[in-house]
Amino acid sequence: MPVPGDPQPTPARVGVVGAGQLARMMGEVASDVGVELSVLATSEDDAAVATADHVVIGNPGDRHALESLAEGVDVVTFDHELVDLDLLEVLAREGITLRPDASALRFAVDKAYQRTRFAAHGLPVPRFVVVNSGSDPALDAFLAEQATAPVVKVARGGYDGRGVFFPERVADVAGLVDSLGTLVVVEERLELRGEVAQLVVRALDGSVAHYPLVSTVQSDGMCVEVRFPSDDPALAAPAAQLGHRVADLVGAIGIIAIELFVTDAGLVVNEVALRPHNTGHWTIEGAATDQFANHLRAVSGQALGSTEPVVEHAVMVNVVGADEPADPGAGRGVPGALVHDYGKAWRPGRKLGHVTAVGNDAAAARVTAWAGARAYGTRTREST
Ligand code: ADP
């Protein structure tokens, strides 16, 4: 316990590239974990401006803006992966500490790199080929083996389903690749039994802790609902094992979110994100240390907090702007609905907040979370 008169420990100064809802939620817990938070925002309206201690306005692709952020902090971290890896290498050479660093971030920034490296290390990924032209012979050879049309993903710059294409016929793929005019991953379209997400957090000393596995529900390429515990308890152990393997290979400091496909042949890795993740928002109410606190602890060199759950069930539903303006207050009117409003201006299709419900009854938590999200005004709909 601090004794009056004792010097307060100096807060670690962490700078976040990006000032969206993830940085905002880091800001909500920063002082609890002894962190002073700065954010690089593109405008005063960004979601994290309200919770940050300091704000630098600038573009994440601008060297001077990144240097201004770095000047006032001990370590720089990220709330999105739309970053310029070459520029980050330059900053690292200037002595700026990046956690995760550019070599780790490449796994999240570049799907072609991720698939190639994971496959080389024996991690389960969909069968794939990387091409930038529809007439590449490697594409012909790959397509010849596909019974159903594969999925085409731009290697860089996609998110929330943007940059992911599901052509109807194998014959449409070459034209699609040419029309995209960039490096793409073409991969087998798997028959999914479901999707799950494994969050792990890696500390500066390389130790790794994993959160409980969750089930995720996607609609139009966007996550709409997350459930703890995951639907199939038998997947928890293999998912955690995969999580640790990915963490060791990627070598990132902080939260590592791994999206996994559930198939008849077992778990298959879809994506990694090296930052707090939508599938971990339930940890705010549901785990001993939430993902935002653990990310800040990790990147500031502190020991990790417990990732154990503190509730039996949690359901999180995203609130995505509908045609009518949203009203977080109406969501809060639903008993048991724990409403998180990101303070963003309403716009159809925009992620505005989320609603979590916890309790001993999985079905009741789901009903409450969805009732809260509907009252708030989400355009997403519960799947049955
Ligand atoms: P993003 O990077 O935009 O989030 P993802 O690669 O995660 O895109 O794909 C979005 C969604 O599309 C996934 O959650 C999944 O539902 C579906 N999907 C992606 N790849 C495949 C695949 N190979 N087979 C079947 N479905 C897929």
Side-chain angles (χ1 to χ4, degrees):
M1 283 295 286
V3 177
D6 267 8
Q8 291 294 311
T10 316
R13 298 171 309 162
V14 175
V16 189
V17 176
Q21 64 264 25
L22 302 176
R24 179 185 176 100
M25 289 185 270
M26 289 184 216
E28 286 168 357
V29 297
S31 66
D32 298 347
V33 294
V35 164
E36 195 177 295
L37 203 75
S38 302
V39 296
L40 176 61
T42 49
S43 109
E44 291 285 351
D45 298 332
D46 285 4
V49 169
T51 65
D53 296 302
H54 310 283
V55 178
V56 175
I57 301 289
N59 188 309
D62 174 32
R63 177 171 173 175
H64 297 298
L66 291 164
E67 284 169 346
S68 307
L69 175 74
E71 220 164 77
V73 302
D74 306 310
V75 52
V76 171
T77 189
F78 304 86
D79 98 332
H80 60 74
E81 44 260 340
L82 300 174
V83 292
D84 178 340
L85 296 176
D86 295 334
L87 183 52
L88 296 184
E89 299 276 16
V90 170
L91 298 178
R93 282 197 294 275
E94 288 174 13
I96 294 170
T97 305
L98 304 172
R99 295 185 184 142
D101 66 13
S103 66
L105 277 167
R106 191 161 174 205
F107 283 91
V109 169
D110 184 342
K111 286 183 180 176
Y113 179 75
Q114 184 255 95
R115 286 278 186 267
T116 307
R117 289 288 310 274
F118 281 7
H121 279 78
L123 287 162
V125 294
R127 273 187 278 271
F128 71 100
V129 66
V130 176
V131 293
N132 60 13
S133 152
S135 47
D136 189 320
L139 180 63
D140 291 337
F142 180 81
L143 293 177
E145 292 170 1
Q146 300 300 308
T148 50
V151 185
V152 179
K153 300 181 175 183
V154 297
R156 291 186 182 218
Y159 66 99
D160 280 348
R162 283 166 220 156
V164 176
F165 303 88
F166 298 90
E168 265 176 37
R169 299 172 309 149
V170 173
D172 298 335
V173 174
L176 174 62
V177 170
D178 282 333
S179 72
L180 291 169
T182 182
L183 195 70
V184 297
V185 177
V186 181
E187 67 185 30
E188 64 179 320
R189 183 160 183 175
L190 298 166
E191 187 87 45
L192 305 186
R193 274 174 37 197
E195 296 187 56
V196 291
Q198 177 66 65
L199 249 67
V200 304
V201 55
R202 186 166 178 276
L204 197 53
D205 67 1
S207 58
V208 175
H210 63 270
Y211 280 94
L213 188 67
V214 291
S215 286
T216 69
V217 181
Q218 324 284 322
S219 172
D220 292 331
M222 204 189 249
C223 171
V224 294
E225 177 187 329
V226 174
R227 291 194 290 265
F228 159 77
S230 67
D231 299 344
D232 180 356
L235 296 176
Q241 202 192 22
L242 272 176
H244 285 262
R245 284 174 67 194
V246 168
D248 290 341
L249 173 60
V250 172
I253 311 295
I255 293 281
I256 304 172
I258 304 141
E259 293 178 33
L260 298 160
F261 295 137
V262 184
T263 74
D264 286 339
L267 294 171
V268 176
V269 178
N270 178 26
E271 276 212 285
V272 284
L274 306 183
R275 52 171 170 76
H277 195 250
N278 198 175
T279 59
H281 292 354
W282 71 277
T283 62
I284 295 173
E285 290 88 6
T289 314
D290 76 48
Q291 62 163 348
F292 302 99
N294 250 340
H295 186 75
L296 292 177
R297 278 170 173 265
V299 301
S300 61
Q302 303 178 47
L304 301 176
S306 164
T307 52
E308 289 299 310
V310 294
V311 296
E312 270 186 56
H313 296 275
V315 176
M316 189 250 23
V317 173
N318 279 329
V319 174
V320 180
D323 293 337
E324 298 295 317
D327 177 7
R332 288 196 185 96
V334 173
L338 305 161
V339 169
H340 296 257
D341 168 26
Y342 304 154
K344 294 179 176 176
W346 161 79
R347 203 170 59 218
R350 191 175 201 199
K351 260 188 212 169
L352 302 171
H354 72 265
V355 179
T356 300
V358 300
N360 300 336
D361 180 334
R366 188 158 184 248
V367 167
T368 302
W370 273 102
R374 266 195 310 273
Y376 190 146
T378 190
R379 83 170 187 194
T380 55
R381 286 292 167 255
E382 191 175 352
S383 62
T384 45

